[in-house]
Amino acid sequence: MKMTLATLLAGAALFAAPVANAQRHRATPEEKLAKLLDGRVAGKPVDCISLSMTGASQVIDGTAIVYTLGNTLYVNRPRGGADQLDDNSILVTNAFGSQLCSIDTVRLIDRTSYFPRGFVSLGEFVPYTRPKKSN
């Protein structure tokens, strides 16, 4: 009985150690964004991106929306409402035309309740690309 209890405690300690380490340092939104952009170089900001070419978008809590267009990541730091961005937000874009521009707004819908949460006013889109390898 003592051996079984000791084995269970040892096993529990092994599983608890990674959890304790993960709780010690939770990456900040800026750290998450930096990790996502690691190895990429910022380009000149643009006012609009093509909606038809946009593959996916990712929310960085309280900070930015990252749009993927091919191999380029476009980071948009909203001019207003960024503090409302989180993983629980569904982004609803009402664009007038084929482009998403810095003058547009994006409505936020709660993923669980489907109630409106607010909106963000987009800023400029900063392209991040991987540098070309030299021969």
PDB file of all heavy atoms in Angstrom, residues 86-115:
ATOM      1  N   ASP A  86      -9.619  39.632 -27.995  1.00  0.00           N
ATOM      2  CA  ASP A  86      -9.142  38.434 -27.299  1.00  0.00           C
ATOM      3  C   ASP A  86      -9.517  37.195 -28.104  1.00  0.00           C
ATOM      4  O   ASP A  86     -10.182  37.287 -29.128  1.00  0.00           O
ATOM      5  CB  ASP A  86      -9.651  38.361 -25.857  1.00  0.00           C
ATOM      6  CG  ASP A  86     -11.155  38.196 -25.732  1.00  0.00           C
ATOM      7  OD1 ASP A  86     -11.816  37.747 -26.702  1.00  0.00           O
ATOM      8  OD2 ASP A  86     -11.696  38.510 -24.665  1.00  0.00           O
ATOM      9  N   ASP A  87      -9.056  36.044 -27.639  1.00  0.00           N
ATOM     10  CA  ASP A  87      -9.298  34.785 -28.351  1.00  0.00           C
ATOM     11  C   ASP A  87     -10.776  34.436 -28.455  1.00  0.00           C
ATOM     12  O   ASP A  87     -11.157  33.599 -29.251  1.00  0.00           O
ATOM     13  CB  ASP A  87      -8.568  33.625 -27.658  1.00  0.00           C
ATOM     14  CG  ASP A  87      -7.075  33.703 -27.853  1.00  0.00           C
ATOM     15  OD1 ASP A  87      -6.635  34.345 -28.825  1.00  0.00           O
ATOM     16  OD2 ASP A  87      -6.348  33.121 -27.043  1.00  0.00           O
ATOM     17  N   ASN A  88     -11.593  35.050 -27.629  1.00  0.00           N
ATOM     18  CA  ASN A  88     -13.024  34.750 -27.611  1.00  0.00           C
ATOM     19  C   ASN A  88     -13.806  35.630 -28.588  1.00  0.00           C
ATOM     20  O   ASN A  88     -15.019  35.616 -28.596  1.00  0.00           O
ATOM     21  CB  ASN A  88     -13.563  34.910 -26.181  1.00  0.00           C
ATOM     22  CG  ASN A  88     -14.861  34.173 -25.988  1.00  0.00           C
ATOM     23  OD1 ASN A  88     -15.076  33.116 -26.563  1.00  0.00           O
ATOM     24  ND2 ASN A  88     -15.744  34.738 -25.189  1.00  0.00           N
ATOM     25  N   SER A  89     -13.088  36.404 -29.402  1.00  0.00           N
ATOM     26  CA  SER A  89     -13.737  37.317 -30.336  1.00  0.00           C
ATOM     27  C   SER A  89     -13.847  36.705 -31.731  1.00  0.00           C
ATOM     28  O   SER A  89     -12.890  36.154 -32.244  1.00  0.00           O
ATOM     29  CB  SER A  89     -12.936  38.618 -30.463  1.00  0.00           C
ATOM     30  OG  SER A  89     -12.848  39.289 -29.236  1.00  0.00           O
ATOM     31  N   ILE A  90     -15.035  36.835 -32.309  1.00  0.00           N
ATOM     32  CA  ILE A  90     -15.232  36.532 -33.720  1.00  0.00           C
ATOM     33  C   ILE A  90     -15.170  37.876 -34.435  1.00  0.00           C
ATOM     34  O   ILE A  90     -15.855  38.826 -34.043  1.00  0.00           O
ATOM     35  CB  ILE A  90     -16.596  35.860 -33.974  1.00  0.00           C
ATOM     36  CG1 ILE A  90     -16.671  34.513 -33.270  1.00  0.00           C
ATOM     37  CG2 ILE A  90     -16.851  35.702 -35.470  1.00  0.00           C
ATOM     38  CD1 ILE A  90     -18.049  33.868 -33.327  1.00  0.00           C
ATOM     39  N   LEU A  91     -14.329  37.966 -35.463  1.00  0.00           N
ATOM     40  CA  LEU A  91     -14.186  39.212 -36.213  1.00  0.00           C
ATOM     41  C   LEU A  91     -15.201  39.250 -37.345  1.00  0.00           C
ATOM     42  O   LEU A  91     -15.278  38.326 -38.149  1.00  0.00           O
ATOM     43  CB  LEU A  91     -12.771  39.316 -36.788  1.00  0.00           C
ATOM     44  CG  LEU A  91     -11.623  39.174 -35.804  1.00  0.00           C
ATOM     45  CD1 LEU A  91     -10.294  39.215 -36.545  1.00  0.00           C
ATOM     46  CD2 LEU A  91     -11.677  40.243 -34.738  1.00  0.00           C
ATOM     47  N   VAL A  92     -15.984  40.318 -37.410  1.00  0.00           N
ATOM     48  CA  VAL A  92     -16.967  40.488 -38.471  1.00  0.00           C
ATOM     49  C   VAL A  92     -16.601  41.748 -39.243  1.00  0.00           C
ATOM     50  O   VAL A  92     -16.657  42.849 -38.711  1.00  0.00           O
ATOM     51  CB  VAL A  92     -18.408  40.610 -37.920  1.00  0.00           C
ATOM     52  CG1 VAL A  92     -19.401  40.800 -39.048  1.00  0.00           C
ATOM     53  CG2 VAL A  92     -18.759  39.400 -37.078  1.00  0.00           C
ATOM     54  N   THR A  93     -16.209  41.548 -40.494  1.00  0.00           N
ATOM     55  CA  THR A  93     -15.740  42.647 -41.332  1.00  0.00           C
ATOM     56  C   THR A  93     -16.798  43.019 -42.353  1.00  0.00           C
ATOM     57  O   THR A  93     -17.275  42.172 -43.092  1.00  0.00           O
ATOM     58  CB  THR A  93     -14.446  42.226 -42.065  1.00  0.00           C
ATOM     59  OG1 THR A  93     -13.503  41.784 -41.105  1.00  0.00           O
ATOM     60  CG2 THR A  93     -13.875  43.376 -42.845  1.00  0.00           C
ATOM     61  N   ASN A  94     -17.160  44.279 -42.378  1.00  0.00           N
ATOM     62  CA  ASN A  94     -18.071  44.809 -43.397  1.00  0.00           C
ATOM     63  C   ASN A  94     -17.268  45.758 -44.265  1.00  0.00           C
ATOM     64  O   ASN A  94     -17.106  46.927 -43.941  1.00  0.00           O
ATOM     65  CB  ASN A  94     -19.240  45.564 -42.758  1.00  0.00           C
ATOM     66  CG  ASN A  94     -20.161  44.637 -42.012  1.00  0.00           C
ATOM     67  OD1 ASN A  94     -20.268  43.469 -42.334  1.00  0.00           O
ATOM     68  ND2 ASN A  94     -20.836  45.167 -41.001  1.00  0.00           N
ATOM     69  N   ALA A  95     -16.737  45.232 -45.347  1.00  0.00           N
ATOM     70  CA  ALA A  95     -15.928  46.057 -46.238  1.00  0.00           C
ATOM     71  C   ALA A  95     -16.784  46.554 -47.396  1.00  0.00           C
ATOM     72  O   ALA A  95     -17.707  45.882 -47.837  1.00  0.00           O
ATOM     73  CB  ALA A  95     -14.751  45.255 -46.759  1.00  0.00           C
ATOM     74  N   PHE A  96     -16.450  47.719 -47.868  1.00  0.00           N
ATOM     75  CA  PHE A  96     -17.147  48.304 -49.004  1.00  0.00           C
ATOM     76  C   PHE A  96     -16.202  48.214 -50.196  1.00  0.00           C
ATOM     77  O   PHE A  96     -15.422  49.118 -50.451  1.00  0.00           O
ATOM     78  CB  PHE A  96     -17.553  49.750 -48.710  1.00  0.00           C
ATOM     79  CG  PHE A  96     -18.450  49.848 -47.517  1.00  0.00           C
ATOM     80  CD1 PHE A  96     -17.947  50.179 -46.269  1.00  0.00           C
ATOM     81  CD2 PHE A  96     -19.804  49.553 -47.626  1.00  0.00           C
ATOM     82  CE1 PHE A  96     -18.780  50.242 -45.162  1.00  0.00           C
ATOM     83  CE2 PHE A  96     -20.633  49.613 -46.529  1.00  0.00           C
ATOM     84  CZ  PHE A  96     -20.118  49.955 -45.290  1.00  0.00           C
ATOM     85  N   GLY A  97     -16.224  47.084 -50.866  1.00  0.00           N
ATOM     86  CA  GLY A  97     -15.314  46.848 -51.976  1.00  0.00           C
ATOM     87  C   GLY A  97     -14.498  45.594 -51.727  1.00  0.00           C
ATOM     88  O   GLY A  97     -14.827  44.777 -50.866  1.00  0.00           O
ATOM     89  N   SER A  98     -13.412  45.450 -52.445  1.00  0.00           N
ATOM     90  CA  SER A  98     -12.612  44.230 -52.377  1.00  0.00           C
ATOM     91  C   SER A  98     -11.416  44.348 -51.441  1.00  0.00           C
ATOM     92  O   SER A  98     -10.603  43.435 -51.362  1.00  0.00           O
ATOM     93  CB  SER A  98     -12.118  43.863 -53.779  1.00  0.00           C
ATOM     94  OG  SER A  98     -11.286  44.905 -54.269  1.00  0.00           O
ATOM     95  N   GLN A  99     -11.326  45.487 -50.749  1.00  0.00           N
ATOM     96  CA  GLN A  99     -10.190  45.688 -49.859  1.00  0.00           C
ATOM     97  C   GLN A  99     -10.620  45.997 -48.440  1.00  0.00           C
ATOM     98  O   GLN A  99     -11.697  46.547 -48.211  1.00  0.00           O
ATOM     99  CB  GLN A  99      -9.309  46.828 -50.378  1.00  0.00           C
ATOM    100  CG  GLN A  99      -8.637  46.517 -51.698  1.00  0.00           C
ATOM    101  CD  GLN A  99      -7.646  47.590 -52.086  1.00  0.00           C
ATOM    102  OE1 GLN A  99      -7.891  48.763 -51.866  1.00  0.00           O
ATOM    103  NE2 GLN A  99      -6.528  47.171 -52.651  1.00  0.00           N
ATOM    104  N   LEU A 100      -9.737  45.645 -47.516  1.00  0.00           N
ATOM    105  CA  LEU A 100      -9.902  46.004 -46.110  1.00  0.00           C
ATOM    106  C   LEU A 100      -8.925  47.140 -45.862  1.00  0.00           C
ATOM    107  O   LEU A 100      -7.730  47.005 -46.148  1.00  0.00           O
ATOM    108  CB  LEU A 100      -9.581  44.802 -45.219  1.00  0.00           C
ATOM    109  CG  LEU A 100      -9.795  44.970 -43.721  1.00  0.00           C
ATOM    110  CD1 LEU A 100     -11.257  45.302 -43.419  1.00  0.00           C
ATOM    111  CD2 LEU A 100      -9.371  43.716 -42.994  1.00  0.00           C
ATOM    112  N   CYS A 101      -9.431  48.270 -45.392  1.00  0.00           N
ATOM    113  CA  CYS A 101      -8.593  49.470 -45.287  1.00  0.00           C
ATOM    114  C   CYS A 101      -8.538  50.019 -43.866  1.00  0.00           C
ATOM    115  O   CYS A 101      -9.357  49.671 -43.009  1.00  0.00           O
ATOM    116  CB  CYS A 101      -9.116  50.552 -46.226  1.00  0.00           C
ATOM    117  SG  CYS A 101      -9.010  50.084 -47.973  1.00  0.00           S
ATOM    118  N   SER A 102      -7.577  50.895 -43.659  1.00  0.00           N
ATOM    119  CA  SER A 102      -7.340  51.468 -42.339  1.00  0.00           C
ATOM    120  C   SER A 102      -8.489  52.352 -41.856  1.00  0.00           C
ATOM    121  O   SER A 102      -8.513  52.721 -40.685  1.00  0.00           O
ATOM    122  CB  SER A 102      -6.034  52.254 -42.336  1.00  0.00           C
ATOM    123  OG  SER A 102      -6.079  53.290 -43.288  1.00  0.00           O
ATOM    124  N   ILE A 103      -9.420  52.688 -42.713  1.00  0.00           N
ATOM    125  CA  ILE A 103     -10.577  53.487 -42.286  1.00  0.00           C
ATOM    126  C   ILE A 103     -11.765  52.600 -41.906  1.00  0.00           C
ATOM    127  O   ILE A 103     -12.791  53.097 -41.452  1.00  0.00           O
ATOM    128  CB  ILE A 103     -11.004  54.500 -43.370  1.00  0.00           C
ATOM    129  CG1 ILE A 103     -11.411  53.770 -44.645  1.00  0.00           C
ATOM    130  CG2 ILE A 103      -9.907  55.515 -43.625  1.00  0.00           C
ATOM    131  CD1 ILE A 103     -12.073  54.663 -45.676  1.00  0.00           C
ATOM    132  N   ASP A 104     -11.623  51.276 -42.087  1.00  0.00           N
ATOM    133  CA  ASP A 104     -12.716  50.347 -41.802  1.00  0.00           C
ATOM    134  C   ASP A 104     -12.773  49.986 -40.319  1.00  0.00           C
ATOM    135  O   ASP A 104     -11.810  50.167 -39.575  1.00  0.00           O
ATOM    136  CB  ASP A 104     -12.550  49.058 -42.617  1.00  0.00           C
ATOM    137  CG  ASP A 104     -12.768  49.287 -44.113  1.00  0.00           C
ATOM    138  OD1 ASP A 104     -13.568  50.169 -44.468  1.00  0.00           O
ATOM    139  OD2 ASP A 104     -12.127  48.578 -44.904  1.00  0.00           O
ATOM    140  N   THR A 105     -13.920  49.474 -39.920  1.00  0.00           N
ATOM    141  CA  THR A 105     -14.083  48.960 -38.562  1.00  0.00           C
ATOM    142  C   THR A 105     -14.389  47.462 -38.640  1.00  0.00           C
ATOM    143  O   THR A 105     -14.913  46.976 -39.645  1.00  0.00           O
ATOM    144  CB  THR A 105     -15.231  49.674 -37.811  1.00  0.00           C
ATOM    145  OG1 THR A 105     -16.439  49.501 -38.527  1.00  0.00           O
ATOM    146  CG2 THR A 105     -14.932  51.152 -37.622  1.00  0.00           C
ATOM    147  N   VAL A 106     -14.058  46.773 -37.575  1.00  0.00           N
ATOM    148  CA  VAL A 106     -14.337  45.341 -37.472  1.00  0.00           C
ATOM    149  C   VAL A 106     -15.168  45.141 -36.210  1.00  0.00           C
ATOM    150  O   VAL A 106     -14.761  45.547 -35.117  1.00  0.00           O
ATOM    151  CB  VAL A 106     -13.024  44.515 -37.392  1.00  0.00           C
ATOM    152  CG1 VAL A 106     -13.318  43.045 -37.178  1.00  0.00           C
ATOM    153  CG2 VAL A 106     -12.190  44.722 -38.642  1.00  0.00           C
ATOM    154  N   ARG A 107     -16.352  44.555 -36.388  1.00  0.00           N
ATOM    155  CA  ARG A 107     -17.209  44.275 -35.234  1.00  0.00           C
ATOM    156  C   ARG A 107     -16.717  43.026 -34.524  1.00  0.00           C
ATOM    157  O   ARG A 107     -16.205  42.099 -35.153  1.00  0.00           O
ATOM    158  CB  ARG A 107     -18.669  44.079 -35.665  1.00  0.00           C
ATOM    159  CG  ARG A 107     -19.313  45.359 -36.155  1.00  0.00           C
ATOM    160  CD  ARG A 107     -20.790  45.193 -36.479  1.00  0.00           C
ATOM    161  NE  ARG A 107     -20.989  44.247 -37.567  1.00  0.00           N
ATOM    162  CZ  ARG A 107     -21.856  43.243 -37.532  1.00  0.00           C
ATOM    163  NH1 ARG A 107     -22.618  43.041 -36.480  1.00  0.00           N
ATOM    164  NH2 ARG A 107     -21.989  42.428 -38.550  1.00  0.00           N
ATOM    165  N   LEU A 108     -16.880  42.995 -33.219  1.00  0.00           N
ATOM    166  CA  LEU A 108     -16.470  41.851 -32.405  1.00  0.00           C
ATOM    167  C   LEU A 108     -17.709  41.174 -31.837  1.00  0.00           C
ATOM    168  O   LEU A 108     -18.566  41.824 -31.241  1.00  0.00           O
ATOM    169  CB  LEU A 108     -15.559  42.303 -31.264  1.00  0.00           C
ATOM    170  CG  LEU A 108     -14.322  43.102 -31.676  1.00  0.00           C
ATOM    171  CD1 LEU A 108     -13.577  43.607 -30.450  1.00  0.00           C
ATOM    172  CD2 LEU A 108     -13.419  42.267 -32.558  1.00  0.00           C
ATOM    173  N   ILE A 109     -17.788  39.859 -32.038  1.00  0.00           N
ATOM    174  CA  ILE A 109     -18.904  39.063 -31.530  1.00  0.00           C
ATOM    175  C   ILE A 109     -18.328  38.046 -30.547  1.00  0.00           C
ATOM    176  O   ILE A 109     -17.309  37.415 -30.827  1.00  0.00           O
ATOM    177  CB  ILE A 109     -19.636  38.313 -32.679  1.00  0.00           C
ATOM    178  CG1 ILE A 109     -20.084  39.291 -33.773  1.00  0.00           C
ATOM    179  CG2 ILE A 109     -20.792  37.475 -32.154  1.00  0.00           C
ATOM    180  CD1 ILE A 109     -21.152  40.265 -33.362  1.00  0.00           C
ATOM    181  N   ASP A 110     -18.982  37.880 -29.407  1.00  0.00           N
ATOM    182  CA  ASP A 110     -18.546  36.903 -28.420  1.00  0.00           C
ATOM    183  C   ASP A 110     -18.745  35.491 -28.963  1.00  0.00           C
ATOM    184  O   ASP A 110     -19.836  35.147 -29.414  1.00  0.00           O
ATOM    185  CB  ASP A 110     -19.333  37.078 -27.116  1.00  0.00           C
ATOM    186  CG  ASP A 110     -18.865  36.134 -26.040  1.00  0.00           C
ATOM    187  OD1 ASP A 110     -17.874  36.477 -25.375  1.00  0.00           O
ATOM    188  OD2 ASP A 110     -19.479  35.060 -25.876  1.00  0.00           O
ATOM    189  N   ARG A 111     -17.690  34.688 -28.940  1.00  0.00           N
ATOM    190  CA  ARG A 111     -17.714  33.343 -29.507  1.00  0.00           C
ATOM    191  C   ARG A 111     -18.691  32.414 -28.776  1.00  0.00           C
ATOM    192  O   ARG A 111     -19.249  31.502 -29.368  1.00  0.00           O
ATOM    193  CB  ARG A 111     -16.300  32.749 -29.458  1.00  0.00           C
ATOM    194  CG  ARG A 111     -16.155  31.448 -30.189  1.00  0.00           C
ATOM    195  CD  ARG A 111     -14.714  30.973 -30.222  1.00  0.00           C
ATOM    196  NE  ARG A 111     -13.763  31.921 -30.775  1.00  0.00           N
ATOM    197  CZ  ARG A 111     -13.582  32.139 -32.076  1.00  0.00           C
ATOM    198  NH1 ARG A 111     -14.279  31.477 -32.965  1.00  0.00           N
ATOM    199  NH2 ARG A 111     -12.701  33.025 -32.492  1.00  0.00           N
ATOM    200  N   THR A 112     -18.931  32.638 -27.502  1.00  0.00           N
ATOM    201  CA  THR A 112     -19.804  31.766 -26.713  1.00  0.00           C
ATOM    202  C   THR A 112     -21.271  32.161 -26.810  1.00  0.00           C
ATOM    203  O   THR A 112     -22.130  31.347 -27.104  1.00  0.00           O
ATOM    204  CB  THR A 112     -19.369  31.773 -25.240  1.00  0.00           C
ATOM    205  OG1 THR A 112     -17.974  31.441 -25.169  1.00  0.00           O
ATOM    206  CG2 THR A 112     -20.160  30.775 -24.434  1.00  0.00           C
ATOM    207  N   SER A 113     -21.545  33.445 -26.566  1.00  0.00           N
ATOM    208  CA  SER A 113     -22.939  33.895 -26.514  1.00  0.00           C
ATOM    209  C   SER A 113     -23.443  34.459 -27.841  1.00  0.00           C
ATOM    210  O   SER A 113     -24.639  34.643 -28.006  1.00  0.00           O
ATOM    211  CB  SER A 113     -23.081  34.984 -25.445  1.00  0.00           C
ATOM    212  OG  SER A 113     -22.371  36.149 -25.838  1.00  0.00           O
ATOM    213  N   TYR A 114     -22.538  34.762 -28.745  1.00  0.00           N
ATOM    214  CA  TYR A 114     -22.854  35.394 -30.032  1.00  0.00           C
ATOM    215  C   TYR A 114     -23.431  36.807 -29.883  1.00  0.00           C
ATOM    216  O   TYR A 114     -24.047  37.325 -30.796  1.00  0.00           O
ATOM    217  CB  TYR A 114     -23.781  34.527 -30.894  1.00  0.00           C
ATOM    218  CG  TYR A 114     -23.151  33.211 -31.248  1.00  0.00           C
ATOM    219  CD1 TYR A 114     -23.573  32.041 -30.641  1.00  0.00           C
ATOM    220  CD2 TYR A 114     -22.113  33.137 -32.172  1.00  0.00           C
ATOM    221  CE1 TYR A 114     -22.973  30.823 -30.955  1.00  0.00           C
ATOM    222  CE2 TYR A 114     -21.518  31.934 -32.485  1.00  0.00           C
ATOM    223  CZ  TYR A 114     -21.954  30.786 -31.876  1.00  0.00           C
ATOM    224  OH  TYR A 114     -21.366  29.598 -32.180  1.00  0.00           O
ATOM    225  N   PHE A 115     -23.200  37.423 -28.737  1.00  0.00           N
ATOM    226  CA  PHE A 115     -23.625  38.808 -28.537  1.00  0.00           C
ATOM    227  C   PHE A 115     -22.519  39.748 -29.006  1.00  0.00           C
ATOM    228  O   PHE A 115     -21.339  39.433 -28.889  1.00  0.00           O
ATOM    229  CB  PHE A 115     -23.924  39.089 -27.054  1.00  0.00           C
ATOM    230  CG  PHE A 115     -25.234  38.537 -26.590  1.00  0.00           C
ATOM    231  CD1 PHE A 115     -25.281  37.575 -25.597  1.00  0.00           C
ATOM    232  CD2 PHE A 115     -26.434  38.976 -27.142  1.00  0.00           C
ATOM    233  CE1 PHE A 115     -26.490  37.059 -25.169  1.00  0.00           C
ATOM    234  CE2 PHE A 115     -27.646  38.473 -26.722  1.00  0.00           C
ATOM    235  CZ  PHE A 115     -27.674  37.510 -25.734  1.00  0.00           C
TER     236      PHE A 115
END
